[in-house]
Amino acid sequence: STGLNLAVAAVDQAALQQALAALPRLEWGRKLDQFEVIEKATVASPGNETLRQTLETGLLAVIRGDSTRAAKDYACRQLSLVGGGEAAAALGGLLASPELSHMARYALERMSVPSAAAALREALPNTSGNLKAGIINSLGLKSDAASAPLLVAALQDSSAEVAAAAALALGRIATPD
């Protein structure tokens, strides 16, 4: 407990805000040193709702804004650890994007809020091909029993890849129904 309190106290709020403000311009291949404070805050956020909310708000601004793809990728990774219901909804909005769907799914798969699986289910009818197969795979990894009717319907998809993903996901969910 003392270690956690020290970690929380050690998060420099001004540096965190500065890093979140710089994040939208992140480019691939650049050093991430200036963003270490974001990672430190992410580690310190369990049990500190104020810090978690600060992170979520700042990271959501990155994925909703005119940010580089590298910045959105980074934000999705961090949201997988600190994101709540608002983040799940925002990440769900990225699932139809060929460039961002994979990282949005990565984050949603790891989030424990019920709205993460709901965001995946809601996006499923708006996708096809690889994107749809990926979302189906994520639902299977989350063992989301509520998606079973959607997955049963996907068994009849014209894409063999989607149908195979649905069969695998249903096997992972493995409910009696």
Side-chain angles (χ1 to χ4, degrees):
S1 176
T2 304
L4 179 59
N5 292 337
L6 290 174
V8 171
V11 174
D12 180 339
Q13 291 297 315
L16 177 59
Q17 291 304 324
Q18 185 177 26
L20 288 168
L23 185 56
R25 298 178 303 282
L26 175 66
E27 294 292 340
W28 298 116
R30 295 266 170 96
K31 288 189 175 188
L32 299 177
D33 296 352
Q34 75 184 98
F35 304 113
E36 284 180 3
V37 68
I38 295 173
E39 294 169 24
K40 186 177 192 179
T42 298
V43 170
S45 69
N48 183 336
E49 183 57 23
T50 302
L51 181 57
R52 190 205 65 77
Q53 185 62 49
T54 297
L55 284 164
E56 182 178 44
T57 299
L59 295 166
L60 285 173
V62 172
I63 66 168
R64 290 177 174 152
D66 185 24
S67 305
T68 65
R69 184 170 169 204
K72 290 182 180 192
D73 179 276
Y74 183 92
C76 285
R77 290 177 191 276
Q78 297 307 309
L79 284 168
S80 75
L81 302 170
V82 299
E86 186 179 355
L91 291 164
L94 301 178
L95 292 170
S97 166
E99 296 83 25
L100 300 170
S101 181
H102 180 76
M103 286 311 302
R105 286 189 304 103
Y106 171 88
L108 289 166
E109 286 171 10
R110 286 152 183 79
M111 293 170 64
S112 60
V113 294
S115 54
L120 291 162
R121 285 191 306 270
E122 289 169 17
L124 193 59
N126 304 318
T127 58
S128 61
N130 291 340
L131 295 179
K132 188 171 193 170
I135 292 169
I136 288 170
N137 186 53
S138 294
L139 289 166
L141 290 172
K142 288 189 77 64
S143 297
D144 181 52
S147 67
L150 295 169
L151 299 175
V152 168
L155 290 171
Q156 304 301 318
D157 197 277
S158 61
S159 164
E161 180 181 21
V162 169
L168 181 60
L170 286 166
R172 284 188 178 135
I173 294 169
T175 62
D177 292 339

